[in-house]
Amino acid sequence: MQRVLRAAAAGIGHASGHRAPRWGAAAAAARWLSGGREAMSYDVVVVGAGPAGLAAAIRLKQLCRDADTDLSVCVLDEGLEVGAHVLSGNVFEPRALDELIRKWRQEDTPIRVPVSSDKFWLLTKNKAWTLPSPFDNKGNYVISLSQMVRWMASKAEELGVEVYPGFAASEILYDENQIVTGVATNDVGIAKDGSKRETFQPGVELRGDYLENAGRMTLLAEGCRGSLSEKIIRNHKLRESGQGQHQTYALGIKEVWEIEEGKHKPGSVIHTVGWPLDSKTYGGSFMYHLDDRQLAIGLVVALNYQNPFMSPYDEFQKFKQHPAVRTILDGGTVLQYGARTLNEGGFQSIPNPVFPGGAIIGCSAGFLNVPKIKGTHTAMKSGMLAAEATFKTLVEGSSMELYWENLKKSWIWEELYRARNYRPAFEYGFIPGIALSALERYVFKGKSPFTLKHGIPDHEATDMASLHSPIQYPKPDGQISFDVPTSLYRSSTNHEHDQPPHLRLRDPTVPERVNLPLYAGPESRYCPARVYEYVTDEKGDQKLHINAQNCLHCKACDIKDPKQNIEWTVPEGGGGPGYTVM
């Protein structure tokens, strides 16, 4: 991949499309640096081609067009192609898109299935009880977010944004004053033992014009638990200077099925709570009918669950066997499988998103509206607000703090404030959580005189194994429920085998010394790809084995490990899942 950069610096063109970069005039600004790395100069570098990053890039170019000026903008994405790492069980609220691209409905977009019905079920083991729906999805659409961001990337490129999939930003670059000047991609062609293979190519730096000391801005739109974003939040104490509370997370596991024609109801939306999750575990499921007989089905499990024997993957397989769910799936075929974590901290957990030289946007900052189960519209709006502040900073000499100020004046702030008490209400259990949520919705209407706090961080919530009994999950039947290798195949996950591990143990003794004896090895269950497994060595001892090539980039391990001993870092660009309809 790095050879493409060298060719671009020499002015050689490449085919358009989202699998190979399209290089514009900014490529001519490439410079050699010491150590063999090249630098590409841009006014704005966006890390992440999700809805927030692409919305920011589009808005920047719109502002340039309106002001008859220009800023060079590039968007990096670690997926092999745009959308390859984007997963969301998505009922899309078009509010932000209406502001960004006002005539989108007149175009051929992947946003074409309006919500036609909205049901809410309480599941017991064998029954589905219909409850009044707490959702208002009138005017919303059932979509594939991976398809939507590919369309957004094409709109960005039409405006002159350079979109580079297949490049993993692995390092934040600073100047002598500790101001962020850009990012660097990781080296490729490094073997597991650290030696350089024949395919070795050094990483590339994407930064502001360091020769002329021009303005520069870096926008981090990596999605939930972004590795660079987390470092910035921690190093600059952005959580403390924001709303102050820690982030809390959930793991979403999803499949897309092709179901029988007679069972398909385009635009039908079903959400459930209850079984198979226990009364102390927050979560629920969804079933969304798209077009072409496709059904998106998934289970979301809050990662502050207590039982170390719980396996979210197996809970999902169990859920699909419910009579009301199996009836829909029988006779169908799974098209794709995937998993991703999502932020659930909401208003209380928003960090100050501005740092010297840039800002954090989208789910990297955490703008999910939990009771709505929606975060795409807020992520996009945050990107647009950051773009407007960036433009004023680079062109008009303003301050990037304008982003933080305008965020607090925006409908994002108002929406998340009104939703702030729903998620922490469930810290008290399922029944109290339902009661408090009903009070918040129907009595206080989001204007309660108190703000609930989140409980302990997710990794601290895991109980000792001695407090629980092992869970015996049903064996997969191969028709509705499946084993992990079968599901992994459907995710199109692929990594270069001979590369340094991107899943690192801060202390290699912790798994056998702490996790296995005290927590019964929970990493072998909370990971939805069976990356972590305990195997018996030649001495008869249990040792942790990491199958990094299976990694779905969901980030659950980075969040849920009881001792925070696992560090998720980016592998070579282009590795990971290959989602197309998620």
Side-chain angles (χ1 to χ4, degrees), residues 391-521:
F391 183 84
K392 286 184 174 291
T393 298
L394 297 181
V395 176
E396 301 177 12
S398 182
S399 166
M400 200 60 193
E401 287 295 329
L402 184 64
Y403 169 39
W404 185 219
E405 295 169 8
N406 287 344
L407 185 67
K408 289 186 282 189
K409 298 175 185 176
S410 72
W411 52 257
I412 296 178
W413 200 261
E414 178 186 359
E415 184 174 313
L416 295 187
Y417 178 80
R418 292 172 67 90
R420 71 195 185 283
N421 285 331
Y422 288 85
R423 176 63 187 89
F426 286 86
E427 294 287 341
Y428 305 99
F430 180 73
I431 299 300
I434 288 288
L436 284 169
S437 295
L439 185 68
E440 188 74 14
R441 177 177 174 84
Y442 298 109
V443 178
F444 292 122
K445 301 184 185 301
K447 298 180 180 180
S448 52
F450 53 84
T451 297
L452 298 176
K453 293 186 177 181
H454 297 304
I456 57 178
D458 296 339
H459 67 278
E460 294 181 9
T462 310
D463 285 341
M464 298 288 187
S466 59
L467 300 176
H468 298 268
S469 299
I471 301 174
Q472 299 300 320
Y473 288 102
K475 184 178 179 181
D477 62 15
Q479 296 178 328
I480 301 297
S481 55
F482 307 95
D483 59 23
V484 172
T486 299
S487 293
L488 271 175
Y489 175 78
R490 291 171 175 151
S491 71
S492 300
T493 296
N494 183 55
H495 294 88
E496 167 58 52
H497 181 73
D498 188 15
Q499 64 173 297
H502 71 280
L503 301 165
R504 302 170 184 171
L505 301 179
R506 293 183 171 92
D507 182 345
T509 72
V510 164
E512 293 82 17
R513 184 171 52 85
V514 179
N515 286 10
L516 187 59
L518 299 184
Y519 301 97

Side-chain angles (χ1 to χ4, degrees), residues 46 52-53 56 219-223 353 359-367 379 382-383 386 403:
V46 181
L219 301 180
L220 299 178
E222 302 170 284
I360 302 173
I361 62 178
C363 289
S364 288
F367 297 116
S382 73
Y403 169 39

